[in-house]
């Protein structure tokens, strides 16, 4: 059995590893990766006296996929949890505590917004439940239209946007309700009489489990373990340029004939590869847009007067260039023990790729200046790393869940073909792990059916 996995990000590496587990030592698994390194959006650099992630730096700790995978790979001791500090929101040139008791920044009561929005907006939130909400079951709209209409634009710009900016490098205007907030869409579909009621019904059950987890020595350790344990051949610095069928299976340029293929590439690449053979999948995949970001990591003297918070997220409309600051050495206990403090500063939002073109020097000085503005501290970087992520995050716009259903249903018509990746069922690493796992199971089932493994 010969299997090609196209794309060596976390989705593709998990698929390769799971295929090895399912198909045994004799399966011939090749990972084709366009860049000269594996990991995609996961990248661990060296700063402030140790490894530091410059792509994803955490994962949702309430999902089981990453902790289970780490334990399975013998890396359970690498699991870390944050120190438990709260983030701040920078709005109207002031740092506010991040509101608590919200659903992705959407409040279930006016109280949680006090201090962040004006009195008129507070009154509007209080009155919201008494005016009927018109919602067509199954409908989808952008989050801004729903939240601004019911609670006012300040709630969308100051409370929701900072969080959606963190997850999708997007905003409430570029993200749809149904894909980003499925429990809210379900509550609305079920007939919630107001947004206040819908948010209350959609809140996750209370839990004492830490919201996030991380990896002590960075995502690098997970990537290395997956690569090694997959026993795959890695063809790096080599893009897959064509996917076709032949009488026995598939042909993928540049590796040639294979029995099965996993496409673990970003949506536009997947669309291009499927264009001829599966246009019904390619069309919706081509409609999924991407947004770009840049991450600057600064090493700072240990005594830099950073606030005792996990980070600072920026409201829409603030005159800053950065959109978020992760106070890494405050957020994570294992990083606080290092010789220097470390901070990650993120730039870039959907529709504005301009920071990708800035020089490293300009990015580092913008990062330091904006960090000084939001913390009031004197920022004197000892060292810095810059990483650009062009097209790094899929935008889950209105209609996303329909597009994904169309892609998966069209792909299901082909034996020996599976798709995986961050554009399908969640951009976070846990969702990518789940998607690589599902793709591998689909392929293992179909090649098993062909008599392999
Ligand atoms: C700045 C940033 C911070 C983030 N922070 C977090 C976080 O803290 N927690 C979290 O859970 N998630 C986070 N995410 C999201 C998460 O990191 C990504 O969604 C996830 O890593 C994507 O994995 P993937 O394998 O699906 O895609 P990718 O990592 O994009 O991998 C796809 C791979 O396909 C390759 N490729 C493309 N075209 C071809 C081709 N033609 N042939 C061969 N290979 C090709 C690419 O080079 C790439 O390596 C963050 C994302 C960004 C951008």
């Amino acid at each position: 059995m010969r299997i090609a996995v196209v794309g060596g990000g976390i989705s593709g590496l998990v698929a390769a590893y799971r295929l090895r587990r399912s198909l045994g030592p004799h399966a011939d698994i090749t990972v084709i990766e366009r860049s000269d390194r594996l990991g995609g959006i996961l990248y661990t650099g060296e700063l402030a006296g140790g490894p530091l992630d410059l792509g994803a730096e955490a994962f949702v700790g309430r999902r089981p996929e990453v902790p289970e995978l780490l334990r399975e790979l013998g890396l359970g001791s690498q699991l870390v949890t944050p120190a438990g500090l709260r983030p701040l929101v920078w709005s109207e040139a002031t740092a506010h505590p991040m509101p608590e008791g919200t659903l992705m920044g959407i409040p279930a009561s006016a109280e949680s917004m006090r201090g962040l929005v004006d009195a008129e907006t507070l009154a509007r939130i209080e009155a919201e439940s008494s005016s009927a909400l018109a919602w067509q079951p199954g409908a989808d709209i952008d989050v801004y239209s729903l939240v601004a209409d019911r609670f006012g634009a300040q709630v969308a710009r100051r409370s929701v946007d900072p969080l959606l900016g963190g997850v999708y490098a997007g905003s409430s205007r570029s993200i749809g309700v149904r894909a980003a907030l499925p429990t809210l869409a379900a509550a609305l579909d079920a007939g919630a009489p107001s947004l206040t009621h819908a948010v209350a019904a959609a809140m996750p059950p209370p839990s004492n489990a830490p919201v996030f987890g991380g990896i002590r020595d960075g995502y690098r350790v997970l990537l290395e373990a997956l690569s090694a344990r997959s026993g795959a051949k890695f063809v790096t610095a080599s893009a897959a340029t064509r996917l076709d069928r032949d009488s026995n299976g598939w042909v993928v340029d540049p590796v040639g004939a294979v029995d099965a293929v996993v496409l673990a590439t970003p949506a536009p690449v997947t669309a291009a590869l499927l264009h001829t053979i599966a246009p019904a999948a390619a069309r919706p995949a081509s409609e999924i847009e991407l947004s770009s970001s840049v991450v600057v990591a600064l090493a700072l003297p240990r005594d830099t007067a950073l606030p005792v918070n996990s980070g600072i997220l920026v409201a829409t409309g603030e005159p800053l260039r950065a959109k978020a600051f992760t106070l890494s050495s405050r957020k994570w206990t294992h990083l606080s023990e290092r010789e220097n403090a470390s901070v990650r500063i993120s730039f870039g939002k959907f529709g504005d790729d301009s920071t990708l073109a800035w020089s490293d020097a300009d990015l580092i000085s913008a990062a330091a200046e904006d960090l000084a503005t939001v913390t009031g501290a004197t920022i004197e970087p000892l060292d810095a790393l810059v990483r650009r992520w062009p097209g790094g995050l899929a935008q889950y716009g209105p209609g996303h869940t329909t597009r994904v259903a169309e892609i998966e249903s069209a792909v299901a018509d082909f034996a020996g073909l599976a798709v995986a990746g961050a554009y399908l069922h969640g951009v976070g690493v846990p969702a990518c792990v789940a998607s690589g796992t599902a793709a591998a199971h689909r392929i293992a089932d179909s090649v098993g059916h062909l008599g392999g493994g």
Side-chain angles (χ1 to χ4, degrees):
M1 278 297 141
R2 195 163 182 227
I3 297 153
V5 176
V6 184
I10 186 71
S11 302
L13 292 179
V14 167
Y17 164 69
R18 296 273 182 232
L19 281 163
R20 175 66 62 209
R21 296 278 311 244
S22 298
L23 301 178
H26 301 300
D28 178 347
I29 302 168
T30 303
V31 176
I32 309 165
E33 166 54 47
R34 180 174 62 186
S35 85
D36 57 6
R37 55 167 280 275
L38 298 172
I41 311 295
L42 303 183
Y43 173 78
T44 310
E46 289 287 323
L47 189 82
L52 192 79
D53 279 313
L54 289 170
E57 50 104 42
F59 52 83
V60 171
R62 288 178 188 163
R63 286 188 63 143
E65 291 89 347
V66 179
E68 279 176 13
L69 183 60
L70 286 168
R71 287 190 201 102
E72 189 182 323
L73 293 163
L75 295 170
S77 63
Q78 283 279 336
L79 270 170
V80 288
T81 50
L85 299 174
R86 297 277 308 162
L88 300 168
V89 181
W90 182 257
S91 173
E92 301 287 286
T94 307
H96 305 262
M98 168 73 72
E100 293 194 46
T102 71
L103 185 73
M104 194 56 106
I106 311 177
S109 74
E111 202 43 44
S112 62
M113 292 287 115
R114 199 168 293 284
L116 184 62
V117 297
D118 63 17
E120 192 189 321
T121 305
L122 288 177
R124 202 165 156 184
I125 302 168
E126 257 159 21
E128 194 271 340
S129 59
S130 54
S131 74
L133 169 71
W135 177 265
Q136 285 286 353
D140 200 9
I141 55 171
D142 62 274
V143 176
Y144 184 88
S145 298
L146 178 66
V147 173
D149 178 49
R150 302 299 297 183
F151 289 153
Q154 288 185 4
V155 174
R157 291 163 67 85
R158 300 180 186 180
S159 181
V160 181
D161 281 355
L163 291 171
L164 289 178
V167 177
Y168 296 98
S171 75
S172 53
R173 290 181 189 272
S174 62
I175 300 298
V177 170
R178 194 162 288 281
L181 298 158
T183 59
L184 183 66
L188 292 167
D189 287 350
S194 69
L195 185 55
T196 305
H197 285 96
V199 171
M203 288 285 196
S207 159
N208 289 329
V211 178
F212 295 108
I215 303 179
R216 178 180 298 278
D217 294 322
Y219 271 108
R220 179 166 63 199
V221 297
L222 175 59
L223 299 172
E224 285 169 358
L226 286 171
S227 311
R229 298 274 290 273
S230 73
K233 288 184 206 125
F234 294 97
V235 180
T236 52
S238 186
T241 47
R242 183 178 70 102
L243 174 66
D244 241 323
R245 305 187 76 187
D246 76 2
S247 49
N248 297 317
W250 299 89
V251 180
V252 189
D253 285 346
V255 296
V258 292
D259 297 292
V261 184
V262 176
L263 296 180
T265 38
V269 177
T270 308
L273 289 169
L274 292 176
H275 179 70
T276 319
I277 50 158
R283 186 195 46 75
S286 71
E287 289 168 3
I288 298 173
E289 297 188 88
L290 305 180
S291 113
S292 299
S293 7
V294 176
V295 174
V296 175
L298 299 180
L300 301 171
R302 220 181 134 80
D303 59 359
T304 303
L306 297 171
V308 185
N309 293 93
S310 58
I312 304 151
L313 303 175
V314 179
T316 295
E318 293 302 304
L320 293 177
R321 292 144 296 180
K323 65 158 194 209
F325 307 82
T326 305
L327 306 177
S328 308
S329 49
R330 293 262 194 247
K331 178 173 176 178
W332 301 101
T333 310
H334 67 287
L335 298 180
S336 74
E337 290 155 1
R338 292 195 182 157
E339 194 185 334
N340 297 313
S342 52
V343 178
R344 281 169 43 123
I345 299 101
S346 315
F347 298 83
K349 269 203 174 165
F350 180 64
D352 178 10
D353 288 354
S354 56
T355 47
L356 284 178
W358 294 11
S359 69
D360 284 10
D362 285 350
L363 285 162
I364 292 165
S365 54
E369 282 167 27
D370 283 0
L371 181 61
T373 301
V374 298
T375 61
T378 302
I379 302 299
E380 290 171 338
L382 302 169
D383 199 0
L385 295 174
V386 175
R387 195 87 198 172
R388 293 170 184 76
W389 297 114
L393 278 161
Q395 294 304 286
Y396 280 37
H400 186 81
T401 50
T402 306
R403 279 181 212 111
V404 170
E406 286 170 1
I407 295 166
E408 292 186 327
S409 132
V411 167
D413 289 342
F414 297 91
L417 176 66
V419 289
Y423 66 93
L424 291 168
H425 297 286
V427 294
V429 175
C432 293
V433 171
S435 132
T437 300
H441 287 158
R442 181 172 146 69
I443 296 295
D445 285 350
S446 76
V447 297
H449 179 71
L450 295 171

